Amino acid sequence: NLKAEEVMFLSDLHYTTSSWEYHLQELLEIIQKTAILSGLKRELSESGTKTSTEIKNTLEELVSESALRSKTLVDIEEVEDELFGEGNTRVPTFVDVIDIATDGGFEIGQTVVIACRPGHGKTSIASQITTNRIKNKERSIVFNMEMNGAQLFRRIMCQKSGLDSHYVKNCRKIGLEAMETCTNLYEEVKDEITLHTGGGMELGEIEQGIREDIFRCERKNLPKPTLVIVDYLQLMNPPESAGGNLSTQIGALSRGLKEIAMKLGVCVVILSQLSRKIEDRPDPMPKNSDLRDSGSIESDASVIFFVHRPSMFSSDTSESSEEGQLCELIFTKQREGALGAMPISFYPKSGRWV
């Protein structure tokens, strides 16, 4: 039978699929605690009078049994499957240089930071990851606080096809053939990604959005999404408990996203800005200390890499947008991988990274 606190908890819920999924863990925790107390009461009633030592031992046994279902207890079978069996915690990006540098991709439970100065390509490289995953039938979730859905889909369509962004943006004006080409492209990608847009998202909104998409995929018997992109950290609304200090606020957001990654079994890619001081140095090569309002970003992340485009710091404008611009992805932190720069080319007209 449900206890009074369980009935009150249920009556407060909205009766929607997403709400049930979102609050299920809270309900299970209440039931788990109630089961311990019920078990102790049953033991006492069945065995008559007990000494304080016997009561203590009984309680310890019940708590120990409950701990076997604890969400924090390591499942040894899962560990062995991951280490020696067919278990796979890798989250491939299908961007060759990234997967080579990370030995096959990111991992479930990780937070990965991609950072650069504004306009240098953090959203673009994240979009390329999303596009390549779509091509390989891997689902992603994107939370973007800077662009709308049409802009994001336009980028994905250009990167998937190699078409000029001007062509995709103006397909209606160009003609029927262009319109048909772009319509077909959109139909190919629209259901392969979940987009959330809007300014100043909070940690709770992001967690609920991920839970809803996971549940939706499970209900439709589709593969679970394993990669989440948050674009970008400094635009999020920090929790009230973080106070008014900016570094503390960013740290609270960084830790919150890390907890979400581990709790929900996904990899969270966090886009972040670099501070302006990078532009005042003779050598603009980015480093971890350049992470803007860094808080605990560096310590929380499993992987950090920077998008470095030398042409953005050069006064030479002769480089054609038709040609690939030589860039670097600079890995400055990997808990289980090598550090250093990986070359990659950027094609401005289509926004492709190859």
Side-chain angles (χ1 to χ4, degrees), residues 144-266:
N144 190 292
M145 286 156 269
E146 200 172 28
M147 302 168 68
N148 62 34
Q151 292 171 316
L152 291 168
F153 271 117
R154 191 181 298 132
R155 283 193 180 221
I156 292 170
M157 291 159 64
C158 289
Q159 290 175 330
K160 186 175 188 296
S161 64
L163 290 172
D164 190 318
S165 59
H166 174 80
Y167 180 90
V168 175
K169 186 175 182 179
N170 296 282
C171 62
R172 184 186 295 273
K173 297 178 183 177
I174 293 172
L176 186 60
E177 184 178 344
M179 187 70 176
E180 184 177 352
T181 298
C182 292
T183 300
N184 290 338
L185 268 174
Y186 175 69
E187 290 296 326
E188 289 174 11
V189 302
K190 69 173 185 177
D191 295 324
E192 305 303 318
I193 180 175
T194 302
L195 295 181
H196 298 260
T197 62
M201 294 183 193
E202 299 179 354
L203 287 168
E205 292 178 86
I206 289 175
E207 180 173 349
Q208 183 164 0
I210 298 170
R211 286 185 182 276
E212 288 175 352
D213 201 49
I214 290 173
F215 184 77
R216 187 161 45 243
C217 289
E218 288 175 348
R219 190 178 59 191
K220 295 181 179 179
N221 202 27
L222 296 172
K224 171 187 172 180
T226 54
L227 186 75
V228 177
I229 294 173
V230 177
D231 186 4
Y232 60 93
L233 184 64
Q234 285 80 8
L235 291 180
M236 289 183 64
N237 275 339
E240 292 183 6
S241 59
N245 181 275
L246 191 55
S247 180
T248 304
Q249 292 175 349
I250 295 298
L253 291 171
S254 174
R255 284 189 298 275
L257 291 171
K258 181 181 180 69
E259 289 170 6
I260 288 172
M262 297 185 70
K263 187 182 349 181
L264 301 186
V266 294

Side-chain angles (χ1 to χ4, degrees), residues 202-339:
E202 299 179 354
L203 287 168
E205 292 178 86
I206 289 175
E207 180 173 349
Q208 183 164 0
I210 298 170
R211 286 185 182 276
E212 288 175 352
D213 201 49
I214 290 173
F215 184 77
R216 187 161 45 243
C217 289
E218 288 175 348
R219 190 178 59 191
K220 295 181 179 179
N221 202 27
L222 296 172
K224 171 187 172 180
T226 54
L227 186 75
V228 177
I229 294 173
V230 177
D231 186 4
Y232 60 93
L233 184 64
Q234 285 80 8
L235 291 180
M236 289 183 64
N237 275 339
E240 292 183 6
S241 59
N245 181 275
L246 191 55
S247 180
T248 304
Q249 292 175 349
I250 295 298
L253 291 171
S254 174
R255 284 189 298 275
L257 291 171
K258 181 181 180 69
E259 289 170 6
I260 288 172
M262 297 185 70
K263 187 182 349 181
L264 301 186
V266 294
C267 172
V268 176
V269 175
I270 305 169
L271 307 191
S272 178
Q273 284 194 356
L274 294 180
S275 68
R276 290 185 180 277
K277 63 184 179 182
I278 189 176
E279 299 172 359
D280 299 329
R281 296 200 300 259
D283 178 9
M285 190 76 72
K287 48 192 178 183
N288 289 351
S289 59
D290 295 321
L291 285 166
R292 184 177 173 186
D293 310 316
S294 59
S296 58
I297 299 174
E298 184 179 350
S299 60
D300 290 333
S302 299
V303 177
I304 298 175
F305 70 86
F306 301 110
V307 182
H308 182 49
R309 292 173 59 189
S311 62
M312 299 295 286
F313 298 96
S314 172
S315 57
D316 182 8
T317 58
S318 62
E319 193 172 33
S320 171
S321 62
E322 298 280 356
E323 302 170 353
Q325 298 177 0
L326 186 59
C327 307
E328 291 179 318
L329 302 182
I330 305 171
F331 289 80
T332 59
K333 181 179 181 182
Q334 277 206 84
R335 290 198 170 131
E336 296 184 68
L339 306 181

